[in-house]
Amino acid sequence: MTYVRKTVGVLALQGDFREHREMLEALGQDVVEVRKAAQLGALDALIIPGGESTTIARLIISNGFQQPLRDFCASGRPVWGTCAGAILLACEVDNLDRPGIETMDIAIRRNAFGRQVDSFEAALRFEGVPGEPFRAVFIRAPLIERVYGRARAICTLDDGTIVAARQDNLLATSFHPELTGDERIHQYFLAMAGEGA
Ligand code: GLN
């Protein structure tokens, strides 16, 4: 599948933004590491990476990103949060000491799989991604306890635990597709960028 070349930003305040960058570049996209809110205007889509959600939330506030990111989400351009990024998109989060972007109708629980299960992998079906199950990597991952309003679940573990949700132009995954060689979720996201074109 080929995609129209887009300019995709990766929020680069903290976390694994380089891995997203590399995967997007492998897919032929122009990638911008976003460190200033003024860079948002030129983007067709934005990824908020995994990392430490309390740290990223603090840096979002101290770098003047909170309202610009809310406006970006409201603009209809695609935004994808992976792991800590998903936490920052959620309207309801347990145990985050300051507000994130609070734009998706999901309730999310941080570090939900417990200390004993720091990281794990699972082969999952992801709605809209055909072919083999996707090998998803979870690292101190959150789980999506509830979707409501405009959000809907698009990927679950075998026991029904929600690990990805979609709401119009917004995507949240509690796992890290940028850490496997499988580009299909990034392709899914780029197709979202094409929907609005
Ligand atoms: N546990 C982290 C948090 O709560 C998220 C981990 C990750 O992004 N891999 O922010």
Side-chain angles (χ1 to χ4, degrees):
M1 206 190 268
T2 53
Y3 296 95
V4 179
R5 192 176 180 127
K6 301 271 178 190
T7 303
V8 183
V10 185
L11 190 67
L13 298 176
Q14 191 262 339
D16 72 335
F17 51 87
R18 284 185 195 87
E19 287 78 358
H20 277 293
R21 177 186 188 119
E22 283 163 15
M23 193 162 267
L24 291 165
E25 284 176 345
L27 289 167
Q29 305 302 304
D30 288 325
V31 186
V32 177
E33 290 187 3
V34 177
R35 296 192 174 81
K36 292 196 172 6
Q39 293 172 284
L40 293 171
L43 306 179
D44 298 311
L46 177 69
I47 293 178
I48 304 174
E52 184 53 44
S53 54
T54 50
T55 304
I56 301 176
R58 176 169 56 73
L59 292 169
I60 282 175
I61 292 169
S62 64
N63 289 279
F65 264 107
Q66 194 179 51
Q67 193 57 45
L69 286 173
R70 288 176 175 168
D71 292 344
F72 192 98
C73 291
S75 74
R77 287 171 286 174
V79 180
W80 175 17
T82 55
C83 202
I87 294 168
L88 293 163
L89 289 177
C91 284
E92 289 181 38
V93 188
D94 77 311
N95 190 22
L96 185 67
D97 57 357
R98 66 205 82 212
I101 301 162
E102 299 178 322
T103 186
M104 276 188 90
D105 294 337
I106 59 177
I108 204 160
R109 179 146 53 92
R110 295 180 62 211
N111 301 318
F113 297 95
R115 286 222 182 97
Q116 284 82 354
V117 192
D118 221 30
S119 54
F120 65 98
E121 293 185 12
L124 304 176
R125 296 254 167 231
F126 192 101
E127 187 187 306
V129 174
E132 292 292 299
F134 189 86
R135 189 167 66 85
V137 175
F138 295 82
I139 304 169
R140 292 184 299 285
L143 68 79
I144 299 170
E145 288 185 305
R146 198 160 55 85
V147 295
Y148 55 95
R150 298 181 65 81
R152 64 194 169 81
I154 56 170
C155 182
T156 58
L157 300 179
D158 287 346
D159 66 2
T161 302
I162 302 168
V163 292
R166 170 93 189 255
Q167 176 180 322
D168 305 320
N169 58 314
L170 308 174
L171 175 65
T173 59
S174 62
F175 52 93
H176 287 272
E178 73 284 10
L179 297 183
T180 55
D182 193 333
E183 296 163 343
R184 286 178 294 163
I185 313 289
H186 285 75
Q187 289 171 336
Y188 172 94
F189 179 64
L190 294 173
M192 283 169 61
E195 285 166 16

